[in-house]
Amino acid sequence: MTRRAERHSLSDWLALHELDPVACRRILSAVAREVASASAGHKWSASGSYGLDPETAWLRTADAMRAFFPAQRSIIDDTFEKTVKTLVARPNKSPRALTLDNGPGTYPTIFYSFLGEPSDSLVIAHEFGHAVQIRASRGKFVSPIMREVCAFIGEMAQLSYALCGDARQYRCLSQVWHKDNQKYLGTHRDHLDSALLQPEMPYNYFWNYPIARYLAIQISQRCSRDRMWTLFEGDLSVRGVLRELAFEASLA
């Protein structure tokens, strides 16, 4: 006989991240201001194909992370070389990519799809951010929001690398990033805001994205690269990040 896994709720998710509904709503208010600022004056264009193959996309992703965190090159190289990367078809509306944590002392497995679109490069960067965080934290528990913060920083590393070396690629990736802000900081934020009215609603992983995206943006603007790396090592909680961003006072 097997025991059915316990289904977690919104209340459990808040407790895990040391938040409550009032504090969470205050963060979501800041998220709403961020998306309004990020989208102001930005014009969208079709993504289209920009002639990148999977192997080149992965090599650029590794180069971008090394450039972003040069002092951590050895662990980035090790993770890149030993993480299994499996290209799969994407049926229907299944996730575009997934990173599996295979446990301490092992290397992650990344499943991803690839259509040659600019968004594929950011998806790969996102998943590699997860892989690097898994290895850097060495088995330490990292909360879902903080895992996603690291993955979004992985995307930022890709943007930073393109900005310094490939103006056309940067324009393409920047379009995707700003369009994704509408999803993470808009749609997902609204869903989380509505869920806060129902404490026992079953857990939804998408709740992690709006807060994680907002924190990643704020951290990138206000913290050094060395300090950002401590997030990958699992040394800061959501509350810890909020304190460093001087957001804590508004949550009292």
Side-chain angles (χ1 to χ4, degrees):
M1 181 178 178
T2 59
R3 184 177 179 182
R4 181 178 296 177
E6 181 182 356
R7 186 71 186 269
H8 295 292
S9 67
L10 175 72
S11 294
D12 297 325
W13 177 79
L14 289 170
L16 179 67
H17 293 97
E18 302 175 275
L19 297 172
D20 56 47
V22 173
C24 195
R25 284 194 181 92
R26 289 176 179 169
I27 298 171
L28 293 184
S29 293
V31 171
R33 293 191 294 272
E34 177 65 36
V35 71
S37 172
S39 61
H42 198 90
K43 298 180 180 179
W44 314 116
S45 65
S47 296
S49 173
Y50 71 155
L52 207 62
D53 61 89
E55 182 179 0
T56 302
W58 274 110
L59 290 172
R60 284 189 181 181
T61 292
D63 286 342
M65 192 68 87
R66 294 183 195 106
F68 206 75
F69 294 117
Q72 284 72 40
R73 183 185 182 103
S74 61
I75 190 171
I76 292 168
D77 285 349
D78 184 60
T79 303
F80 182 72
E81 292 167 6
K82 297 177 182 176
T83 292
V84 176
K85 312 168 194 70
T86 303
L87 180 63
V88 298
R90 187 193 180 201
N92 301 322
K93 294 184 178 180
S94 60
R96 295 183 64 178
L98 175 68
T99 299
L100 297 181
D101 183 347
N102 295 312
T106 65
Y107 291 83
T109 301
I110 298 175
F111 297 95
Y112 72 103
S113 59
F114 195 91
L115 297 175
E117 299 173 349
S119 57
D120 292 326
S121 290
L122 287 187
V123 168
I124 286 174
H126 186 100
E127 299 307 321
F128 189 56
H130 278 309
V132 171
Q133 175 268 302
I134 288 168
R135 292 296 300 165
S137 57
R138 302 180 185 278
K140 186 183 300 182
F141 174 76
V142 178
S143 70
I145 287 178
M146 296 311 300
R147 293 175 213 161
E148 292 303 327
V149 169
C150 292
F152 285 136
I153 290 175
E155 294 187 38
M156 291 176 172
Q158 188 85 310
L159 285 162
S160 175
Y161 188 70
L163 179 62
C164 294
D166 189 328
R168 179 174 176 271
Q169 187 192 35
Y170 176 74
R171 286 194 300 271
C172 292
L173 296 181
S174 182
Q175 286 284 345
V176 176
W177 172 269
H178 285 287
K179 186 174 181 180
D180 283 348
N181 276 343
Q182 300 299 307
K183 174 179 63 177
Y184 293 125
L185 303 178
T187 304
H188 291 328
R189 176 209 169 274
D190 292 342
H191 289 165
L192 175 55
D193 194 41
S194 297
L196 290 171
L197 299 172
Q198 305 174 64
E200 299 311 311
M201 176 176 282
Y203 171 63
N204 188 324
Y205 193 85
F206 289 152
W207 294 341
N208 297 298
Y209 292 126
I211 295 177
R213 186 78 158 195
Y214 171 76
L215 293 180
I217 291 169
Q218 295 299 310
I219 289 165
S220 70
Q221 295 172 350
R222 300 161 65 178
C223 296
S224 69
R225 299 279 175 86
D226 286 343
R227 190 54 176 158
M228 291 166 72
W229 180 253
T230 64
L231 304 176
F232 285 79
E233 295 177 327
D235 290 343
L236 281 175
S237 64
V238 171
R239 276 283 182 174
V241 172
L242 292 171
R243 281 193 290 270
E244 292 214 3
L245 297 176
F247 201 98
E248 187 76 3
S250 69
L251 302 182

